[in-house]
Amino acid sequence: MKKILVLHGPNINLTGIREPGTYGKDTLETINEEIRDCVHSLGMECDIFQSNHEGALIDKIHEALEGYDGIVINAGAYTHYSYALRDAISSVKKPCVEVHMSNIHAREPFRHESVIAPVCVGQICGFGKNSYLLGVRAMYELLS
């Protein structure tokens, strides 16, 4: 059975509270439940992890070397400047799908560039919590 790692970056723990007009009103736990349901309906397994700390996210990405077939990541603001996350994704050589709840290309100019996009197989953004579900489905197709 394929197993994926779903990562949530900084401030995503405040989803449902922080800027609900941008990120929606569902809490992170509700979103995680929907992710788990989607993953299981596709016959896969997943672990889900959130951290506001870059190093903790990097450590989880490194764990993908042994225990996971792919990664779905919403790196939050780290998307735009964390070369350390980029290097970690590149190093593990596992397919990685970048997701964002908001359309980063329609927001502030500093959000338009993703430094992790070049080492990900694709990017899904702008569909709210459904960006995660689309990312999981994309990963399923990649691993099939």
Side-chain angles (χ1 to χ4, degrees):
M1 183 176 287
K2 301 294 184 184
K3 186 173 184 180
I4 64 171
L5 177 61
V6 178
L7 295 176
H8 304 289
N11 298 310
I12 297 171
N13 57 305
L14 296 179
T15 302
I17 299 168
R18 176 183 174 230
E19 300 179 63
T22 300
Y23 300 107
K25 294 182 181 178
D26 289 310
T27 66
L28 182 57
E29 187 51 43
T30 300
I31 293 168
N32 285 343
E33 288 174 24
E34 290 189 42
I35 292 169
R36 283 186 197 96
D37 289 345
C38 181
V39 168
H40 293 143
S41 75
L42 295 168
M44 298 190 300
E45 296 179 356
C46 74
D47 286 331
I48 301 174
F49 179 76
Q50 187 278 327
S51 182
N52 294 316
H53 305 282
E54 185 178 35
L57 293 166
I58 291 167
D59 289 343
K60 278 297 193 185
I61 292 167
H62 289 175
E63 287 180 23
L65 275 168
E66 297 291 324
Y68 301 95
D69 298 293
I71 302 167
V72 174
I73 185 170
N74 180 345
Y78 290 138
T79 298
H80 315 293
Y81 67 88
S82 179
Y83 295 105
L85 277 179
R86 182 207 183 279
D87 290 348
I89 292 167
S90 179
S91 295
V92 299
K93 306 236 184 286
K94 302 286 179 159
C96 185
V97 175
E98 177 185 352
V99 300
H100 299 281
M101 290 184 275
S102 68
N103 180 352
I104 63 172
H105 305 288
R107 296 188 64 195
E108 304 92 339
F110 75 88
R111 295 187 195 274
H112 295 182
E113 182 180 352
S114 167
V115 300
I116 67 172
V119 295
C120 292
V121 295
Q123 179 189 79
I124 299 168
C125 65
F127 297 98
K129 66 182 179 182
N130 290 316
S131 292
Y132 286 105
L133 306 179
L134 292 166
V136 165
R137 288 184 178 96
M139 184 59 65
Y140 171 78
E141 294 296 327
L142 287 167
L143 297 175
S144 294

